[in-house]
Amino acid sequence: MPPRTVVIGVDSSTQSTKAAVTDTETGELLAVGRAPHVVTGEGGARETDPEVWWLALCDAVAAGLKESGLSPSSVVGIAVAGQQHGLVTLDRAGRPLRPALLWNDTRSAPQAAALVAELGGPEAWTARTGTVPVASMTATKWRWLRENDPSNAEATASVRLPHDFLTERLAGVAATDPGDASGTCWYSTATGAYDPDLLERLGLSVSMLPEVAATGGTRIGSLTDSAAEALGLPAGIAVAAGTGDNMSAAVGLGLGGAGLLDHPVLSLGTSGTVFAASRTRPASTALSGFAGADGTYLPLACTLNCTLAVDKVASLLGLHRDDATPGGEAVLLPYLDGERTPDLPTSSGLLTGLRHDTTPQQLLGAAYEGAAFTVLRALDELLLACGLDPADPEVAGRPLRLIGGGAQGRTWVETVRRLSGRPLIVPGSGELVALGAAALAASAAGGGDPVAVAARWNEKSEDAELPAAERDTETWERIGSVLDRASEPLLGG
C-alpha cells in the first residue's frame, strides 16, 4: 500500500487561523490546528498586524500536524484561504508598514461614496468590476490610507490581500487568484484583469500588485526553504494560489463548474453571507459580483453583523445563546458594527416594538430574526443574478445550504428555516473554508480540478436535511417595514 499523503488547507479568518490536515485521496479531515488572532480598534476601526497571521499560520500547522500524528514528509501541498478585502501594505523588503485594515473596518465609508460618484454611479462600477464600492472593499481602504496616513501610503511598495500576504510568505511569489482579486474593486470581472483606469484613479500601479493566477488551485510555486523551516514542512511542496474565504467555502461545498451551479448557500459567521456559484456574470448593484476560485462567478451579499452581534445581545441580557424564543412584536436590528447590506456603514443597533410583556428571551429571538432577515432578504436578488426566477416553484424549492458556526446552533437553524420557508441542508463536512483550501492544495499538487476534488471528497459526507417549514411572513414583513422606514432617520446612511 502506498504511503498516505496529505495536504494542508489554511483558513485565515478574522478571529483565528485553522490548518486542516486532509487526506489527499479521501478528503478525510485528520486534524485541525488552531491559533487565535488579535483584532484592535475602536469605533469603526478594525486592524490586525499581518505578522500575527503568519505566526498563527505557523502555530496552527504545527498543532495540526502534531494532532494528526503524521510525519511532515507526508504533506504534498498547502493553500491559504483568507478573509477578504483586507488592505496589507508592504515596504520594499516585503515587511508590513502598518496594521492591515480589515474587511469590517468602516472608516472608509466617505471614500467609498466618493469613488462611486467619481465613476458615474453604482451601475458604472457593476459594469466594470461587478461590485459597487462600500467601506468593506479594498479600494476604499487604500483611498482612506492615502488621505489619512499619507506617509505610509507613500512608502508602500506592494499592496496585498491577507491571503496574498501569506501565500507570498510560503512560496516567495507575489500571486493571487481571480476570486479574492475581485473583491478589491480594482480588478475587472468583465475583462478578467486589473483595470488600468481604476488603478490610475486610485494611485496604484500593476507593479505594486500580485500576479493573478488562472484559478485558486493553480500551482504558483513551491514552499521555500525559510517557510519550510518556520512551518516544519518539507521544502519544495506545492503552494496553490489560494483564494478568499467565501470562494474557498464554495469549493469546499463542491460548488462550481465541475459541481453544483446556481444553488444558494447561507453562511452564518462573524459576517452573514448568501452566495452561489454560477456561469452567469452578475450585474446587480445590490450584490458583490465576485469571481469564483475555479473560473465561474460567485454573486454574493454580505452583512457585517451575524453571530458575534447576536452573541453580544445574549451577553447583555445574561442569556445563553439558545435561550431565545420568537421575538413577538419586538424588532431588533443588531447593526453593532455599522452595516454593509444594506449599505449603512455608520449605523448602530435599533430596538423597537417593546411591550410590558416582552421577555428577555424574545429580545434575543428578535436579534436572531433581525440578523437572519438582513442576509436572507438578498436571496431573491442572488437568484436573479444567477439568471433564475425566484418565483419559479423549482427554484423556490431548491434547498438552502447552511454553513458557518451558526449552522451548528439550534436557534440559528430554526430561525433561518422559519424566515426562509425553504428546505435546509446542513453539510456534514466541517471547516468548509479550510476544506476548500485543502482541495486547492490538492489541485496544485496534481489532483485536477479543485471543485471536482471536493465533490469527490463530499460523496461520503453525512449531510443533515431539514424539510421546509411554513414561512413566518408576519415576522418577515414586520422586520422589513421597520428596516425600510428606519434606515435614514434612525440607522443613518
Side-chain angles (χ1 to χ4, degrees):
M1 176 180 290
R4 168 178 267 179
T5 62
V6 298
V7 288
I8 296 178
V10 177
D11 172 8
S12 180
S13 70
T14 313
Q15 305 291 335
S16 67
T17 292
K18 301 172 186 176
V21 182
T22 307
D23 187 285
T24 309
E25 181 59 30
T26 67
E28 181 184 356
L29 193 60
L30 302 174
V32 180
R34 293 175 171 82
H37 299 167
V38 176
V39 178
T40 61
E42 297 179 350
R46 295 291 184 275
E47 299 182 344
T48 295
D49 181 353
E51 295 293 350
V52 167
W53 300 330
W54 174 246
L55 293 175
L57 190 156
C58 294
D59 290 345
V61 167
L65 271 178
K66 182 178 180 180
E67 182 184 337
S68 74
L70 296 172
S71 166
S73 62
S74 63
V75 180
V76 296
I78 187 169
V80 177
Q83 54 179 304
Q84 288 188 254
H85 311 308
L87 177 68
V88 181
T89 53
L90 307 177
D91 65 16
R92 295 189 181 280
R95 295 185 297 261
L97 286 162
R98 67 179 314 283
L101 277 68
L102 305 186
W103 61 276
N104 53 351
D105 189 311
T106 59
R107 287 176 291 178
S108 60
Q111 288 74 23
L115 285 170
V116 172
E118 286 174 19
L119 202 62
E123 291 78 9
W125 281 94
T126 299
R128 295 274 283 274
T129 70
T131 301
V132 181
V134 293
S136 297
M137 304 301 169
T138 323
T140 73
K141 300 179 188 304
W142 174 249
R143 173 70 67 88
W144 182 91
L145 192 72
R146 294 187 74 196
E147 294 176 3
N148 292 275
D149 189 1
S151 60
N152 274 323
E154 183 65 27
T156 298
S158 303
V159 171
R160 301 287 183 264
L161 296 166
H163 116 261
D164 305 341
F165 170 75
L166 294 170
T167 301
E168 191 169 7
R169 282 287 177 92
L170 294 173
V173 175
T176 191
D177 86 301
D180 214 7
S182 67
T184 60
C185 279
W186 58 61
Y187 174 92
S188 171
T189 55
T191 64
Y194 294 125
D195 187 309
D197 174 59
L198 294 179
L199 292 179
E200 184 177 357
R201 287 174 181 271
L202 292 164
L204 287 169
S205 65
V206 172
S207 64
M208 299 172 69
L209 303 175
E211 185 175 346
V212 184
T215 74
T218 300
R219 180 171 183 162
I220 53 90
S222 303
L223 193 67
T224 66
D225 290 342
S226 59
E229 183 177 358
L231 294 170
L233 296 178
I237 64 171
V239 178
T243 192
D245 52 4
N246 289 299
M247 295 79 191
S248 188
V251 172
L253 285 165
L255 272 59
L260 290 170
L261 289 167
D262 304 323
H263 281 247
V265 177
L266 178 63
S267 176
L268 300 168
T270 303
S271 62
T273 58
V274 59
F275 61 86
S278 181
R279 292 199 184 279
T280 303
R281 182 177 180 267
S284 168
T285 59
L287 299 172
S288 296
F290 295 142
D294 70 331
T296 58
Y297 296 101
L298 198 78
L300 177 148
C302 177
T303 66
L304 295 184
N305 300 276
C306 197
T307 58
L308 287 184
V310 173
D311 283 351
K312 178 63 175 178
V313 174
S315 175
L316 290 173
L317 294 169
L319 298 175
H320 184 272
R321 60 172 62 121
D322 279 328
D323 288 340
T325 61
E329 293 185 53
V331 173
L332 203 169
L333 300 174
Y335 300 166
L336 308 187
D337 284 320
E339 192 44 81
R340 168 173 166 179
T341 305
D343 185 18
L344 299 167
T346 61
S347 66
S348 57
L350 176 67
L351 172 63
T352 185
L354 286 178
R355 299 292 184 184
H356 281 290
D357 59 355
T358 302
T359 67
Q361 290 77 15
Q362 286 178 315
L363 291 182
L364 180 55
Y368 275 100
E369 291 167 352
F373 171 90
T374 303
V375 65
L376 279 171
R377 193 157 77 155
L379 182 56
D380 283 355
E381 193 71 32
L382 172 75
L383 295 170
L384 288 169
C386 294
L388 302 174
D389 178 4
D392 182 327
E394 189 277 328
V395 174
R398 289 188 184 183
L400 186 61
R401 284 169 169 77
L402 198 61
I403 66 171
Q408 307 307 312
R410 172 178 56 83
T411 305
W412 275 114
V413 172
E414 288 307 312
T415 302
V416 170
R417 188 164 170 249
R418 177 164 54 89
L419 291 182
S420 70
R422 285 178 172 269
L424 302 183
I425 294 177
V426 182
S429 300
E431 308 296 351
L432 283 165
V433 174
L435 182 68
L440 297 176
S443 177
D449 183 279
V451 172
V453 169
R456 173 169 54 82
W457 289 351
N458 287 337
E459 289 176 358
K460 298 180 180 180
S461 175
E462 295 182 2
D463 301 340
E465 299 185 17
L466 303 175
E470 182 178 357
R471 191 174 191 188
D472 184 352
T473 55
E474 181 180 348
T475 297
W476 181 272
E477 291 170 0
R478 182 172 60 253
I479 299 172
S481 175
V482 169
L483 176 57
D484 292 339
R485 287 184 290 113
S487 292
E488 289 304 319
L490 291 178
L491 289 168

